[in-house]
Amino acid sequence: SRAYSLVDSSQVSTFLISILLIVYGSFRSLNMDFENQDKEKDNSSAAGSFNGNSTNNSIQTIDSTQALFLPIGASVSLLVMFFFFDFFFFVFTICTAVLATIAFAFLLLPMCQYLTRPCSPQNKISFGCCGRFTAAELLSFSLSVMLVLIWVLTGHWLLMDALAMGLCVAMIAFVRLPSLKVSCLLLSGLLIYDVFWVFFSAYIFNSNVMVKVATQPADNPLDVLSRKLHLGPNVGRDVPRLSLPGKLVFPSSTGSHFSMLGIGDIVMPGLLLCFVLRYDNYKKQANSDSCGAPGPGNISGRMQKVSYFHCTLIGYFVGLLTATVASRIHRAAQPALLYLVPFTLLPLLTMAYLKGDLRRMWSEPFHSKSSSSRFLEV
């Protein structure tokens, strides 16, 4: 079929990796909620009282005001990078490398915990004012630093993808959408932002701002330092320019082109997937507490069993496939959120309305009542 001919191996790799990142990031987020509940329960038992307002300070919840102004802030950042990238590329590169190091260490942490569990206790090692860390945390951070250094030296696209994966998972795990109203505000604003900067920015700035910023390489910090410190013509001059890990890229089977997907097109729908996964878990616990009370009478039992997470994840896949086919048909970059937002939000809103959950999901923050059910069926 024509649709199949418009999707090559690089697009298939992008589909699979982006879906795996969203699923993994969502479940890391849910697991963090369970761990925080356990810690709060232990702290309340030790103190003899429960403080229901205690939260993890590392988790950022987006409210309505932030959702409205985030596309504006993203537009300002895009313009700064478009006009002043040559002046601030060193700052951009260093900040990106630091963030990518921390995010990739977070991505590697479960694997390092599994590897270090048999041979070392989970006691934390003190490093003075730097804090206390477990052996798994030190191992994951060391591996992350090593990978970033190799990426700086080689500039290989596969290492850049690994760092971008870490950024995606960390952002999905540490950022929360509290309600469906905030989700709709955020994704609708970012849809307008994406469409404007991809389709209409060329009429104002004589260039596609989004594409230029996403594909513009930065000078290697080693090359810059060697020139600033006058280390000689052969020191640090053979390192490649770096493409910053703000996207996933995969080469085609022929090597003639790369398939590219911005991490915002993974993270923003991923936050919605994370929200509905937490709501599915909340609803499952509520139903178990009410001894399995049936849903509305006009909804079939089969539809009641379909989770919001499955519905939204399928919508994400269909939207990503549609965006890819559209880009190949028009032979031009497409704003992925133009396809991802309708294919994820509209089925979710429809299903929530039919199941009778729309009002609660729209405006009411929800919290798991207990951590007795740590695993959600998928």
Side-chain angles (χ1 to χ4, degrees):
S1 65
R2 178 169 177 78
Y4 178 79
S5 65
L6 292 173
V7 180
D8 60 18
S9 59
S10 61
Q11 272 90 36
V12 173
S13 301
T14 305
F15 292 166
L16 296 178
I17 293 298
S18 60
I19 290 175
L20 287 175
L21 289 174
I22 287 177
V23 173
Y24 180 67
S26 299
F27 277 89
R28 284 291 296 273
S29 174
L30 187 64
N31 187 63
M32 289 172 60
D33 286 345
F34 287 139
E35 292 177 351
N36 291 336
Q37 291 167 15
D38 290 342
K39 290 179 181 179
E40 290 175 359
K41 185 177 179 181
D42 294 340
N43 292 337
S44 63
S45 299
S49 62
F50 176 75
N51 180 8
N53 296 324
S54 60
T55 56
N56 192 336
N57 293 329
S58 61
I59 294 176
Q60 174 66 41
T61 300
I62 298 177
D63 57 25
S64 299
T65 304
Q66 292 172 331
L68 287 173
F69 282 96
L70 195 148
I72 299 175
S75 298
V76 173
S77 301
L78 197 66
L79 284 176
V80 170
M81 294 187 70
F82 178 73
F83 286 112
F84 306 107
F85 188 85
D86 292 336
F87 297 98
F88 298 107
F89 70 89
F90 189 77
V91 177
F92 292 149
T93 305
I94 296 299
C95 291
T96 302
V98 172
L99 291 175
T101 302
I102 299 172
F104 194 73
F106 175 76
L107 180 64
L108 292 178
L109 183 57
M111 181 191 70
C112 294
Q113 288 174 337
Y114 177 79
L115 293 176
T116 59
R117 185 178 294 115
C119 56
S120 67
Q122 296 301 313
N123 297 331
K124 292 189 175 183
I125 304 172
S126 177
F127 283 84
C129 60
C130 296
R132 298 170 60 86
F133 306 95
T134 64
E137 291 171 342
L138 294 175
L139 177 60
S140 64
F141 184 75
S142 300
L143 293 175
S144 181
V145 170
M146 186 182 304
L147 184 135
V148 170
L149 291 177
I150 297 175
W151 167 66
V152 170
L153 292 173
T154 63
H156 198 278
W157 65 268
L158 194 58
L159 300 178
M160 183 192 70
D161 280 358
L163 298 177
M165 292 176 194
L167 288 171
C168 289
V169 171
M171 292 176 69
I172 293 174
F174 285 100
V175 180
R176 299 284 192 274
L177 294 176
S179 65
L180 193 54
K181 179 180 72 173
V182 176
S183 303
C184 290
L185 287 174
L186 178 64
L187 291 176
S188 300
L190 289 174
L191 186 152
I192 298 172
Y193 156 85
D194 210 14
V195 169
F196 173 79
W197 290 110
V198 173
F199 283 156
F200 301 105
S201 61
Y203 297 103
I204 302 175
F205 302 99
N206 295 321
S207 177
N208 191 318
V209 175
M210 183 75 76
V211 174
K212 184 175 180 180
V213 170
T215 57
Q216 187 167 354
D219 287 342
N220 198 297
L222 296 180
D223 185 18
V224 176
L225 289 175
S226 67
R227 285 189 274 113
K228 294 290 185 181
L229 300 177
H230 305 288
L231 298 179
N234 297 323
V235 179
R237 300 299 176 87
D238 57 346
V239 291
R241 301 190 75 189
L242 298 176
S243 182
L244 302 184
K247 55 193 174 294
L248 291 179
V249 295
F250 289 94
S252 63
S253 56
T254 60
S256 58
H257 68 276
F258 278 79
S259 173
M260 184 175 66
L261 182 67
I263 63 173
D265 301 324
I266 301 174
V267 171
M268 296 307 162
L271 295 179
L272 180 65
L273 267 293
C274 181
F275 166 77
V276 296
L277 179 65
R278 290 186 290 116
Y279 186 83
D280 283 334
N281 184 66
Y282 163 81
K283 190 175 180 181
K284 181 181 178 182
Q285 293 184 5
N287 289 339
S288 63
D289 292 342
S290 61
C291 300
N298 60 334
I299 303 299
S300 65
R302 178 172 297 182
M303 187 173 183
Q304 284 290 340
K305 294 180 180 179
V306 178
S307 69
Y308 293 111
F309 183 77
H310 290 148
C311 172
T312 313
L313 186 62
I314 293 172
Y316 177 81
F317 175 80
V318 175
L320 193 59
L321 179 63
T322 306
T324 301
V325 173
S327 67
R328 297 297 294 272
I329 291 176
H330 298 288
R331 298 184 181 278
Q334 296 290 308
L337 292 180
L338 175 63
Y339 307 92
L340 295 176
V341 172
F343 276 103
T344 53
L345 273 182
L346 294 181
L348 174 60
L349 291 171
T350 303
M351 178 173 286
Y353 174 77
L354 294 176
K355 286 188 173 185
D357 294 328
L358 183 58
R359 179 173 296 180
R360 175 178 293 176
M361 294 179 70
W362 183 257
S363 59
E364 295 183 11
F366 58 90
H367 303 280
S368 300
K369 296 181 180 180
S370 66
S371 58
S372 59
S373 176
R374 279 187 168 271
F375 300 98
L376 187 67
E377 293 181 2
V378 294

